[in-house]
Amino acid sequence: MSVDTVSLTGWGRTAPTTAVRFSPRTHEEAAAAVRGRGPRGVIARGLGRSPGDAAQNAGGSVLDLTGLARIGGVDAAGAVRCDAGVSLERLLRVLLPLGWLPPVVPGTGRVTVGGAIGSDLSGLDHRHSGSFARHVSALELLTADGEVRTVLPGTALFDATAGGLGLTGVILGATLRLRRVATALMSVSTERAEDLDDLLARFTAGGDRLPYASAWIDLMARGRATGRGILTRGEHATPDMRPAHAGRTLLSPRSGGARGRFRLPGCPPVPGGLFGPASAALYNEVRYRGAPRARTGELRPVGAFFHAADAFPDASLLYGRGGLVRYRFAVGHGQEETLHRVVRRIAARRSPAVRAVLQRFGAADPGGLSFAAPGWSLALDLPAALPGLGRFLDDVDEEVAAAGGRVCLAKDSRMRPEAAAAMYPGLADFRELRARLDPTEAFRSDLARRLGL
């Protein structure tokens, strides 16, 4: 097991802190690192794709689990056991040629299985499938005493671990229930919406005929066009939909990955950020006008549909030396006016937002700190160095909380502890369970200290 001292940030590159990093290759090495932790505790870390500080531990230890990356065989019931350090991108690449898909596919493949469970990530079909942990039939959890427990759904420990951000223990592996697919293609529908009302109406008008849905919102548009966007929906293509020249199965690894990746190897952050208000507005205008008014039946590879953002893995560098803040919030059905107000406030502020994704959630997930709940979710990226950004988002937090909504903890890098307590009514029970399981607070993170989790 290698050990070194490193400065770490989340993917947003804000608030770097220094920790001792342990990189175990076996469960025994991981257990030894937990038993030998220092007074500042330890937190698990995967690929570092959390935008905030959930996988940082200032002055303490960080357990890098990417060395635990074994994938077992798929059994007759469509279940697979894999290590926590396996990336969803690799899992997709291995499973797709066999006719299987991970149970929930989020917007990036550069997340580990352990991270997907610890954050209880949602996909584009949350209304149908719920979030990631709902499809875990068992997980192996390394607890504060250095022992490995098998934890099953329906238990308090499982519910606290799903979305618990690594604070109940280190997830070492899990058994996932998979989804059978016939091809490696998606049949995709795209349409433009003139404003936010039009966009919400189009979201609901189609019902659930196409299970996967998300929309990009132009947060630079104002006036009558405020909240305009592009709605994208999809379903798994069947063999009869495939092009005649595509071969017999269309279940090839090449069909599963994002195409046309654009990399910036060794590229430093653009000092002031690539996007100012004018350039962001121009980019959004071109993107909106370049989308079809309505198109159905377009075939795309599975990976290109789900992980289009992975074509730009260094996109955080475009937000300037200060990095980016990813702000994701959710409000319930009947609270659409809150969504309207937030969108109008961002548009009026002329903040250079080029990434903004709207999704519709289904039933709440069992995790005490899980983010998804019935209603609407909006995620956006903003340059961290924007003047007055902290105060502005604090005000939005209050508005979201007053509407019974919540901000996603797994993405957060700046929320105040009182806001988190107001948004997550299960937080008190989570703290109580954590205190019983881990009275010495073996598992700690910068996020946990900042929010008093």
Side-chain angles (χ1 to χ4, degrees):
M1 175 170 60
S2 64
V3 182
D4 58 353
T5 300
V6 291
S7 177
L8 297 171
T9 70
W11 188 70
R13 297 183 295 106
T14 58
T17 55
T18 300
V20 177
R21 178 174 60 189
F22 294 84
S23 301
R25 293 286 177 177
T26 65
H27 290 189
E28 292 74 20
E29 288 182 350
V34 169
R35 292 192 191 100
R37 65 188 179 270
R40 296 281 288 179
V42 62
I43 195 69
R45 183 180 177 94
L47 292 170
R49 293 293 290 194
S50 171
D53 52 1
Q56 296 171 226
N57 184 22
S61 301
V62 168
L63 206 58
D64 181 343
L65 296 181
T66 54
L68 300 179
R70 294 166 298 179
I71 302 174
V74 180
D75 67 18
V80 65
R81 191 269 166 202
C82 54
D83 283 347
V86 173
S87 74
L88 299 190
E89 180 181 48
R90 179 169 166 242
L91 195 62
L92 186 95
R93 201 164 55 240
V94 169
L95 294 176
L96 197 55
L98 305 176
W100 297 101
L101 203 67
V104 167
V105 186
T108 176
R110 293 182 173 85
V111 179
T112 60
V113 168
I117 298 170
S119 301
D120 202 12
L121 292 181
S122 58
L124 301 183
D125 66 336
H126 187 272
R127 284 175 57 80
H128 287 259
S129 301
S131 37
F132 197 91
R134 193 176 292 186
H135 304 273
V136 175
S137 56
L139 59 84
E140 297 145 42
L141 187 70
L142 174 60
T143 51
D145 56 8
E147 300 299 320
V148 179
R149 304 187 191 186
T150 299
V151 184
L152 301 178
T155 63
L157 182 53
F158 186 96
D159 289 347
T161 301
L165 302 168
L167 297 175
T168 62
V170 178
I171 299 168
L172 296 175
T175 302
L176 311 177
R177 296 187 296 273
L178 305 175
R179 173 176 298 168
R180 173 67 84 175
V181 293
T183 75
L185 294 176
M186 303 293 295
S187 177
V188 182
S189 166
T190 306
E191 54 191 301
R192 282 191 343 211
E194 296 179 352
D195 57 28
L196 186 55
D197 281 327
D198 185 25
L199 185 58
L200 298 181
R202 289 173 185 269
F203 245 112
T204 56
D208 293 326
R209 184 179 64 83
L210 299 180
Y212 300 99
S214 69
W216 168 78
I217 295 183
D218 181 1
L219 291 178
M220 301 297 294
R222 294 187 288 183
R224 292 183 178 181
T226 300
R228 68 181 181 179
I230 304 167
L231 173 61
T232 304
R233 290 185 279 202
E235 62 181 334
H236 292 285
T238 55
D240 60 293
M241 296 177 181
R242 69 188 183 188
H245 62 276
R248 289 186 297 174
T249 65
L250 291 183
L251 289 171
S252 81
R254 290 182 180 273
S255 298
R259 299 296 183 89
R261 286 185 182 164
F262 174 71
R263 296 184 181 271
L264 300 172
C267 177
V270 179
L274 183 66
F275 292 112
S279 56
L282 177 61
Y283 172 88
N284 285 5
E285 181 72 21
V286 171
R287 179 172 182 178
Y288 180 76
R289 297 295 175 190
R293 290 186 179 275
R295 180 174 61 197
T296 60
E298 178 195 5
L299 294 180
R300 296 184 196 173
V302 165
F305 176 77
F306 288 109
H307 299 154
D310 286 348
F312 300 90
D314 300 306
S316 67
L317 300 176
L318 303 179
Y319 287 83
R321 296 193 188 281
L324 68 86
V325 169
R326 177 160 294 172
Y327 188 74
R328 189 178 193 188
F329 70 94
V331 292
H333 294 298
Q335 295 295 331
E336 285 79 4
E337 181 52 36
T338 300
L339 180 62
H340 274 275
R341 283 198 300 269
V342 173
V343 168
R344 287 196 298 266
R345 290 180 66 176
I346 295 170
R349 201 171 184 272
R350 299 294 287 167
S351 298
V354 295
R355 182 194 178 275
V357 180
L358 181 70
Q359 288 180 245
R360 195 177 177 206
F361 284 158
D365 294 293
L369 298 185
S370 292
F371 169 64
W376 302 96
S377 162
L378 178 61
L380 59 139
D381 291 347
L382 294 168
L386 279 178
L389 181 63
R391 181 175 296 180
F392 173 75
L393 292 180
D394 285 346
D395 290 344
V396 178
D397 286 347
E398 292 179 5
E399 189 157 5
V400 169
R406 57 185 59 172
V407 169
C408 182
L409 298 178
K411 312 290 186 186
D412 179 58
S413 60
R414 31 70 43 201
M415 189 165 47
R416 295 173 298 176
E418 58 270 24
M423 294 174 185
Y424 286 87
L427 181 54
D429 291 339
F430 177 83
R431 287 169 174 156
E432 181 182 345
L433 182 142
R434 190 175 166 223
R436 290 201 314 269
L437 286 175
D438 183 11
T440 63
E441 294 188 10
F443 302 109
R444 307 186 202 179
S445 67
D446 291 354
L447 174 77
R449 278 187 284 266
R450 178 166 56 81
L451 295 182
L453 303 181

